Amino acid sequence: MALEDELLRQRHDRIAQIEQLGFQPYGHPFEYTHTIPQLIDEYGQRTAEELGNAVHVRIAGRIQRVRRMGKAGFLHLLQNGKSLQIYVKKDAVSETAYKLYELLDIGDIIGVTGYLFRTRTGELSVHVEDLFFLSKILLSLPEKWHGLEDVETRYRQRYLDLIANPDVRDVFVTRSKIIRSLRRQLDAHGFLEVETPMMQPLHGGAVARPFVTHHNTLDIDLYLRIAPELYLKRLVVGGIERVYEINRNFRNEGISTRHNPEFTMLEFYQAYADYKSMIALSKELLHQTAVDATGSSEVTFGERQLDFAQFRQFSMQEAVVEFWPGNDQPTLDNVRDPEWLGKHSRERSPGLALVDIFERHAEGQLFEPTIIYDFPVEVSPLSKNKPDQPDFVERFEIYAAGMEIANAFTELNDPQEQRRRFEMQLSRKAGGDEEAHVMDEDYIRALSYGMPPAGGEGIGIDRLTMILTNSPSIRDVILFPLLRPEGDIGLVQRLQDLAP
RNA sequence: GGGCGCGUAGCUCAAUUGGCAGAGCAAGUGACUCUUAAUCACUAGGUUGUAGGUUCGAUUCCUACCGCGCUCACCA
């Protein structure tokens, strides 16, 4: 018999033994006086004299480590990312409780009552007076001091990662703080949180390939949204002047350390504002979020530091000059010259060429938080033109740690111009650009009722979380990143073989 | 999709030019009533990702496939 089957059988057999002792193998509610983190907070600094064997507690957790010595033993219980030692002594518990103790496996979930004390080496511990069985482990946990290293298993079985690698929990705690901070700040600024469709008859608001699904009753294809933008702006038309949504977007593109097919985006819109208002608001939001999530505006990413209290700022043209990698550094006049642009990029138009050159040469170097503003109109079908430079729009992106983390603009609210932009996109689609924007006549209709001038912005929550948790891959900040299905696991058959 | 790399016991890792697949943890048995990587003794545990090929002999070399990672492309 394979070892794993042997282990499974041993543990499965213990279920009957646990039942014979009068316990349920998959128990019942268990009221505790403290969680383990609470208990450590409250009593972690108390001396043995202060505890005086008089503090009685009732706690629960998963058995993390076991050291048995004859008629006594020490176990560590893990709960909410913290562990606490308990001491079980034959003399100190009932015969039944001691028999239960002898049956325990690493990974079982138990409850205990007892009093707090300090061991000879000074570790805060619970001197157990009674034991309760709450849930049986059948499979083996990862090894105790290397933890779980195999990245595939870490992503597929995140629960094991969370049990074996305490730092992983902290990443997701920080992620939650980031989202909470952004919500709190936007709420304080009078923004209303809403939910708009994830399944859309037209995919708009961004340039990306969509996922397609089908609704049977209506017999129509629907797209998983690539962005909520056009719905949120319909709400601005409807008078919800400050509106935001934090939710998933879906893009049917490549997967990488910076891309997951579903990712979380904050989008917010503010009426009577423009991209300059959005720059000011972004700086404030990101600074405060970094402080709320990490305690400081300065964070370490990889080997380097970045500070969300300080943003550099360049137009896209300036950035190409500033971050040019070679010796033949261009001048600002070069970057404005269609001929020079054409020489340095194979893109069709000067605007597309500028973006291409920027992305190839400058983007990856933007490590400190940096605002890049004034984008070519060709890549910005929903942004308002610059009044003095109609080939450019009032748009900016924020880069940090070499990644784009935000995209914002003055919203285009002229329905005629929006119609022309969509038509421009349609001609690109006809030219073979699969990702070009589609015509959304219903959105044109909404704009035709009049949308107040507005600024809007999207912030990529996953990437922001990467930076604020010093995570090199987006998969480290998404609990269950998309992987290929792994196929037959074989456990169902093995459990069937064990069943009575 | 392209390129590079990885896949050995439940977990973490070894295995010399191609020559008997090993260790620690986890598990079982025994000893041990303040240990904390507990300790000590003994025991068990493997279709080396899958399928082929080369060879007297393959974890090792070759091919294809599966899965994962990095990277390029795409993209945020």
Side-chain angles (χ1 to χ4, degrees), chain A residues 14-28 30 94-101 103-104 110-111 130-135:
Chain A
R14 294 215 166 114
I15 288 176
Q17 298 174 271
I18 288 162
E19 283 171 334
Q20 277 166 18
L21 291 174
F23 297 97
Q24 297 171 9
Y26 295 100
H28 39 75
F30 183 81
S94 70
E95 196 179 329
T96 307
Y98 195 75
K99 279 182 181 161
L100 178 65
Y101 153 79
L103 288 174
L104 295 176
I110 63 169
D130 204 359
L131 276 108
F132 305 87
F133 197 82
L134 301 177
S135 190

Side-chain angles (χ1 to χ4, degrees), chain A residues 3-297:
Chain A
L3 173 68
E4 201 186 354
D5 287 332
E6 199 177 303
L7 295 178
L8 184 60
R9 174 164 297 279
Q10 282 164 11
R11 293 187 180 132
H12 194 264
D13 289 347
R14 294 215 166 114
I15 288 176
Q17 298 174 271
I18 288 162
E19 283 171 334
Q20 277 166 18
L21 291 174
F23 297 97
Q24 297 171 9
Y26 295 100
H28 39 75
F30 183 81
E31 284 190 21
Y32 48 78
T33 56
H34 305 74
T35 65
I36 286 173
Q38 282 171 348
L39 208 150
I40 291 169
D41 274 354
E42 199 170 336
Y43 298 102
Q45 303 304 317
R46 304 282 184 92
T47 64
E49 292 71 33
E50 286 167 342
L51 294 171
N53 295 352
V55 180
H56 285 262
V57 298
R58 187 176 163 91
I59 61 168
R62 186 187 290 277
I63 298 171
Q64 189 182 31
R65 301 197 299 274
V66 179
R67 293 170 300 284
R68 299 176 195 271
M69 302 158 302
K71 298 178 182 62
F74 291 91
L75 320 182
H76 272 90
L77 294 189
L78 174 69
Q79 185 190 25
N80 295 347
K82 297 281 186 184
S83 61
L84 181 74
Q85 182 169 262
I86 65 169
Y87 179 50
V88 181
K89 194 162 72 159
K90 192 169 187 183
D91 301 344
V93 297
S94 70
E95 196 179 329
T96 307
Y98 195 75
K99 279 182 181 161
L100 178 65
Y101 153 79
E102 289 182 310
L103 288 174
L104 295 176
D105 286 306
I106 289 175
D108 284 343
I109 296 169
I110 63 169
V112 302
T113 60
Y115 58 84
L116 291 176
F117 76 112
R118 287 205 177 265
T119 63
R120 268 176 212 162
T121 56
E123 181 167 345
L124 182 68
S125 308
V126 174
H127 196 290
V128 173
E129 294 172 318
D130 204 359
L131 276 108
F132 305 87
F133 197 82
L134 301 177
S135 190
K136 186 80 199 95
I137 190 170
L138 293 179
L139 300 173
S140 298
L141 289 180
E143 191 230 345
K144 64 185 169 191
W145 65 80
H146 295 96
L148 181 63
E149 307 259 334
D150 182 73
V151 287
E152 185 177 349
T153 309
R154 289 185 47 223
Y155 298 150
R156 286 195 195 281
Q157 296 178 263
R158 182 68 86 178
Y159 45 91
L160 288 183
D161 194 24
L162 287 163
I163 292 167
N165 301 324
D167 295 350
V168 172
R169 183 190 183 90
D170 297 337
V171 168
F172 292 99
V173 169
T174 301
R175 184 181 170 117
S176 175
K177 284 181 183 167
I178 289 166
I179 293 171
R180 203 156 53 236
S181 170
L182 288 166
R183 275 213 170 89
R184 184 184 56 71
Q185 294 181 72
L186 288 165
D187 291 346
H189 278 89
F191 285 79
L192 181 72
E193 183 172 11
V194 299
E195 292 169 275
T196 63
M198 309 283 258
M199 295 193 295
Q200 305 178 347
L202 295 172
H203 57 280
V207 174
R209 287 155 68 189
F211 289 93
V212 189
T213 186
H214 188 79
H215 188 275
N216 290 336
T217 303
L218 297 180
D219 191 25
I220 51 168
D221 283 341
L222 292 167
Y223 301 98
L224 272 59
R225 74 176 188 196
I226 58 175
E229 170 150 352
L230 300 185
Y231 285 91
L232 291 171
K233 287 197 283 200
R234 285 175 172 95
L235 296 177
V236 176
V237 171
I240 304 182
E241 295 186 344
R242 294 185 179 207
V243 66
Y244 74 100
E245 178 164 7
I246 298 175
N247 223 321
R248 227 67 64 82
N249 290 344
F250 306 86
R251 298 189 186 174
N252 207 338
E253 311 271 1
I255 296 175
S256 80
T257 48
R258 292 178 298 279
H259 301 85
N260 193 60
E262 54 178 307
F263 64 102
T264 301
M265 181 88 104
L266 161 66
E267 281 205 16
F268 52 95
Y269 293 84
Q270 180 177 342
Y272 311 111
D274 68 358
Y275 77 143
K276 286 180 183 157
S277 336
M278 292 294 107
I279 287 177
L281 181 55
S282 300
K283 289 177 175 174
E284 182 188 330
L285 283 176
L286 291 172
H287 182 179
Q288 187 61 45
T289 301
V291 170
D292 288 347
T294 71
S296 167
S297 68

